[in-house]
Amino acid sequence: ELKVEQNPLFLSMQEGKNYTIYCNYSTTSDRLYWYRQDPGKSLESLFVLLSNGAVKQEGRLMASLDTKARLSTLHITAAVHDLSATYFCAVDSRGAQKLVFGQGTRLTINP
Amino acid sequence: EAGVTQFPSHSVIEKGQTVTLRCDPISGHDNLYWYRRVMGKEIKFLLHFVKESKQDESGMPNNRFLAERTGGTYSTLKVQPAELEDSGVYFCASSRGREAVEKLFFGSGTQLSVL
């Protein structure tokens, strides 16, 4: 059974600092996704990582994928308050048209 | 273009009652998914429609849950009778035929509280 684990589950940090959220998954997968959710809002797609070594960046967020280690990271650079949200990683299991999500990381960035 | 719309946004019911959640996908999206997040845990897959057909309903918890998508447009998810453990946020998502999970658009969810 495919399992996805994120850590940390809660993260409180100061503006201007850097930090990384980790996402481990248990079996081979086709793609890895990062989503952001603001309270009461929909999940917003941030990144789709398709292959080993893939790296994508958007603003202060950068995601990478190591398929051999079954690990993805979401790195936050010089955090700002607007990045406060819950971040989810997800993978799609081979041959199945559905996503398996991690528990989510609730990120709070303090001014 | 309107996004995925879910109704209601919140529902509070008593144990044993019935609740029906509705999802309107983006127009033209054949794929429609239901997911659920319980008590701050991971978001879990419930089922997948392709047009009006159930493609995969392996995540449905039990027979108290019934999902329909008549005419391949909007979908409903009925819980009857509701139990305490059904509380959570129910998300709907949709995508075009070929893109399936790769380009999923999510709704804001329905927060269900069973008391």
Side-chain angles (χ1 to χ4, degrees):
Chain A
E1 181 186 355
L2 177 57
K3 290 187 182 294
V4 180
E5 290 191 356
Q6 287 181 238
N7 73 84
L9 300 184
F10 298 92
L11 178 56
S12 180
M13 53 193 292
Q14 296 293 318
E15 278 191 328
K17 301 290 187 181
N18 304 331
Y19 210 81
T20 301
I21 300 171
Y22 298 88
C23 175
N24 289 90
Y25 53 99
S26 59
T27 62
T28 304
S29 174
D30 290 337
R31 290 173 288 247
L32 189 132
Y33 306 79
W34 283 97
Y35 286 89
R36 167 183 172 149
Q37 188 198 14
D38 293 292
K41 305 291 186 182
S42 61
L43 276 75
E44 173 192 355
S45 178
L46 294 174
F47 302 108
V48 181
L49 303 172
L50 303 177
S51 60
N52 187 42
V55 177
K56 289 193 175 181
Q57 183 164 3
E58 181 73 32
R60 300 175 188 274
L61 300 178
M62 183 174 71
S64 65
L65 179 62
D66 180 345
T67 58
K68 294 181 181 179
R70 296 176 186 159
L71 170 69
S72 179
T73 60
L74 180 66
H75 187 72
I76 303 149
T77 302
V80 293
H81 179 68
D82 288 351
L83 291 178
S84 297
T86 299
Y87 292 84
F88 293 93
C89 67
V91 297
D92 58 2
S93 54
R94 281 186 176 270
Q97 294 185 358
K98 59 187 175 185
L99 295 179
V100 178
F101 282 86
Q103 307 97 308
T105 297
R106 185 169 177 180
L107 174 64
T108 303
I109 298 170
N110 304 304
Chain B
E1 179 181 75
V4 177
T5 305
Q6 292 188 245
F7 182 83
S9 57
H10 294 81
S11 181
V12 181
I13 61 172
E14 293 187 351
K15 176 183 172 180
Q17 290 186 322
T18 298
V19 63
T20 300
L21 313 181
R22 173 170 170 147
C23 169
D24 286 77
I26 293 172
S27 177
H29 281 193
D30 290 338
N31 295 294
L32 188 149
Y33 297 82
W34 285 97
Y35 285 84
R36 176 175 76 169
R37 189 183 193 206
V38 173
M39 290 289 289
K41 295 186 178 179
E42 69 271 24
I43 300 170
K44 283 194 172 181
F45 168 84
L46 296 179
L47 88 159
H48 171 206
F49 284 99
V50 178
K51 297 184 179 178
E52 67 275 8
S53 299
K54 291 177 185 176
Q55 184 78 10
D56 181 354
E57 52 184 330
S58 61
M60 294 288 266
N62 50 61
N63 59 10
R64 295 185 294 103
F65 289 75
L66 174 64
E68 295 180 322
R69 192 182 183 194
T70 306
T73 54
Y74 71 92
S75 175
T76 58
L77 180 64
K78 181 192 287 188
V79 185
Q80 179 182 29
E83 298 289 345
L84 299 179
E85 63 264 25
D86 300 333
S87 296
V89 181
Y90 290 77
F91 291 100
C92 176
S94 71
S95 65
R96 294 187 186 281
R98 290 185 178 181
E99 294 162 345
V101 293
E102 190 171 340
K103 290 187 179 179
L104 270 183
F105 293 85
F106 281 83
S108 301
T110 294
Q111 172 78 56
L112 176 64
S113 299
V114 182
L115 307 178

